[in-house]
Amino acid sequence: MILSRALARRRMAAGVRPSWLAAWGPVAIDAASLLALVALLFAPARALIAAYDPPLWAMVLALFFLVYLPSQFVLILSSLWAAKSRYLDPEGNQS
């Protein structure tokens, strides 16, 4: 989210309309970094799960709040900035 937002704001301030790949590439990088972070934290989380043996409903809630919601927040905001950086109004001006 940080990468795509920073690039989009800089491009919009300069009045440059990026190509599809230039706008959506940072979103893919944000998604890959989230996936790498989850993969990096998987082993320690698995050890905690094995040690405490929580019930299934607690695991589902923990995964929902610790993985799903933050990743959706980051990916949605990254996508909004990518779309905003490529937007042209009907008169052909970039906003």
Side-chain angles (χ1 to χ4, degrees), residues 25-94:
V27 177
I29 292 170
D30 287 341
S33 64
L34 278 172
L35 186 62
L37 181 65
V38 169
L40 183 68
L41 297 176
F42 181 72
R46 193 168 156 197
L48 280 173
I49 292 167
Y52 291 109
D53 195 27
L56 181 62
W57 64 268
M59 287 303 309
V60 170
L61 268 160
L63 287 173
F64 181 76
F65 284 110
L66 296 175
V67 176
Y68 181 76
L69 283 181
S71 65
Q72 290 301 304
F73 177 75
V74 167
L75 293 176
I76 288 170
L77 285 180
S78 293
S79 299
L80 287 172
W81 278 103
K84 190 174 180 178
S85 70
R86 286 192 42 84
Y87 178 75
L88 288 175
D89 65 10
E91 298 170 358
N93 299 323
Q94 184 179 7

Side-chain angles (χ1 to χ4, degrees), residues 2 7 10-12 20-22 24 28 34-35 40 44 62 79 87 89 95:
I2 294 171
L7 288 173
R10 188 172 1 150
R11 288 176 181 151
M12 288 168 36
W20 187 89
L21 185 61
W24 290 94
L34 278 172
L35 186 62
L40 183 68
S79 299
Y87 178 75
D89 65 10
S95 74

